[in-house]
C-alpha cells in the first residue's frame, strides 16, 4: 500500500512539472506558420494574409557602423524584423566588430546561441552558474562555431587588427538581450547604491561614478 502511494505521489509531482517544461521555450506550432503584425486596434499580434515579404529580409550583408565606444554593432533579426518568425522559435543577428571591438558580457534569457565567425579572429567565452562560475573560452577564426548555453553570461572581442563579423543563431523568435553593466549600473530607476556597494564591495564614490556613466545598448 505504501509503495503504491509513493508511486502516485511521484506521478503527481512529474505531472505538475511537465507543464512548466513544456512552456519553457517558444510555443509549438499548431499550423504551418503564424505571421504577426502590430495593429493599434488590437491587443496584440494577429493572423494576417501572408506574402513572400513576411518571410524575407535583405541587407544583412551590409557592414554596420562600429563608431561607438564599444567598437561593435549588433543587428538583430527577430520577429520584429521578419514577421513570419512568430512561433517558429528561431532568429539570427549580425555582429560587426572594429579592431579590438567588444560585445560586452551579456545574456539571452530565452535562447541558446550558436555563433559562426564569418570574418576575423574573436576571443569568446561564457561563465557557468554558481557556485563554480567556470570560464569556458576559445579563440575563434573564420569558419569556427561556438555554443553559448541559454541564460549564461558570455562575451566576444575582436583580437585582430582588421574588422570581424559574426552571425549568431538563436532558438527563439525573441531571445532577449541583457547587458550586465547596463542592467546593474544603468537601470531606470537606478538601483539603490547601498545595494551595489555591498554586493561589489566597492566605495560609494565608485558606485556613484559607475551609475553616472552612459551605458550603451549594443544594438
Amino acid at each position: 500500500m505504501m509503495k503504491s502511494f509513493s508511486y502516485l505521489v511521484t506521478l503527481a509531482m512529474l505531472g505538475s512539472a511537465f507543464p512548466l517544461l513544456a512552456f519553457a521555450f517558444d510555443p509549438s506550432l499548431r499550423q504551418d506558420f503564424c505571421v504577426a503584425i502590430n495593429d493599434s486596434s488590437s491587443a496584440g499580434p494577429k493572423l494576417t494574409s501572408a506574402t513572400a515579404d513576411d518571410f524575407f529580409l535583405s541587407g544583412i550583408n551590409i557592414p554596420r557602423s562600429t563608431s561607438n565606444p564599444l567598437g561593435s554593432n549588433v543587428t538583430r533579426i527577430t520577429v520584429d524584423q521578419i514577421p513570419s518568425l512568430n512561433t517558429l522559435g528561431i532568429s539570427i543577428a549580425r555582429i560587426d566588430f572594429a579592431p579590438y571591438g567588444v560585445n560586452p558580457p551579456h545574456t539571452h534569457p530565452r535562447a541558446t546561441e550558436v555563433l559562426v565567425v564569418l570574418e576575423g579572429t574573436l576571443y569568446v567565452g561564457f561563465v557557468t552558474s554558481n557556485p563554480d562560475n567556470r570560464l569556458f573560452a576559445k579563440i575563434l577564426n573564420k569558419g569556427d562555431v561556438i555554443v553559448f548555453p541559454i541564460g549564461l553570461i558570455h562575451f566576444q572581442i575582436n583580437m585582430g587588427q582588421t574588422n570581424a563579423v559574426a552571425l549568431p543563431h538563436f532558438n527563439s523568435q525573441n531571445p532577449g538581450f541583457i547587458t550586465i553593466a547596463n542592467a546593474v549600473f544603468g537601470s531606470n530607476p537606478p538601483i539603490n547604491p547601498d545595494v551595489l556597494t555591498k554586493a561589489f564591495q566597492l566605495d560609494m564614490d565608485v558606485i556613484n561614478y559607475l551609475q553616472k556613466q552612459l551605458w550603451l545598448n549594443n544594438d
Side-chain angles (χ1 to χ4, degrees):
M1 182 68 178
M2 182 61 68
K3 183 179 293 186
S4 299
F5 178 77
S6 299
Y7 177 73
L8 291 174
V9 170
T10 301
L11 285 179
M13 292 176 65
L14 290 173
S16 63
F18 283 158
L20 297 177
L21 294 174
F23 292 100
F25 301 98
D26 289 355
S28 299
L29 284 173
R30 296 293 184 268
Q31 57 199 53
D32 289 345
F33 53 81
C34 179
V35 175
I37 62 171
N38 291 321
D39 187 344
S40 59
S41 65
S42 67
K46 65 179 183 180
L47 288 176
T48 184
S49 298
T51 69
D53 287 340
D54 293 317
F55 299 82
F56 171 79
L57 182 71
S58 64
I60 193 64
N61 61 308
I62 300 173
R64 269 55 176 182
S65 173
T66 55
S67 298
N68 59 63
L70 296 175
S72 68
N73 188 313
V74 178
T75 303
R76 304 182 199 177
I77 305 170
T78 68
V79 67
D80 292 329
Q81 288 73 42
I82 304 180
S84 62
L85 288 177
N86 184 43
T87 74
L88 294 184
I90 190 171
S91 59
I92 63 172
R94 173 187 170 120
I95 311 177
D96 289 273
F97 297 88
Y100 309 108
V102 63
N103 190 17
H106 62 279
T107 180
H108 305 291
R110 295 182 290 275
T112 289
E113 174 181 343
V114 178
L115 181 137
V116 182
V117 178
L118 301 183
E119 297 290 343
T121 299
L122 300 179
Y123 172 68
V124 308
F126 66 88
V127 180
T128 63
S129 56
N130 298 347
D132 293 338
N133 301 129
R134 182 179 174 188
L135 172 65
F136 289 80
K138 290 285 290 184
I139 293 179
L140 305 183
N141 295 297
K142 181 178 180 179
D144 289 343
V145 178
I146 194 166
V147 175
F148 300 119
I150 183 171
L152 296 187
I153 295 173
H154 57 284
F155 61 86
Q156 304 100 28
I157 185 170
N158 183 2
M159 300 295 290
Q161 299 181 12
T162 60
N163 293 339
V165 181
L167 198 68
H169 304 69
F170 306 96
N171 64 333
S172 172
Q173 67 184 38
N174 186 13
F177 193 100
I178 302 173
T179 306
I180 306 307
N182 300 40
V184 174
F185 299 111
S187 65
N188 184 23
I191 297 174
N192 188 317
D194 291 334
V195 175
L196 300 181
T197 55
K198 194 75 170 180
F200 289 95
Q201 296 294 292
L202 294 173
D203 292 336
M204 181 67 74
D205 290 343
V206 176
I207 295 298
N208 289 334
Y209 170 80
L210 291 172
Q211 288 189 314
K212 290 178 181 177
Q213 301 309 300
L214 179 61
W215 297 100
L216 299 177
N217 286 319
N218 196 18
D219 58 359

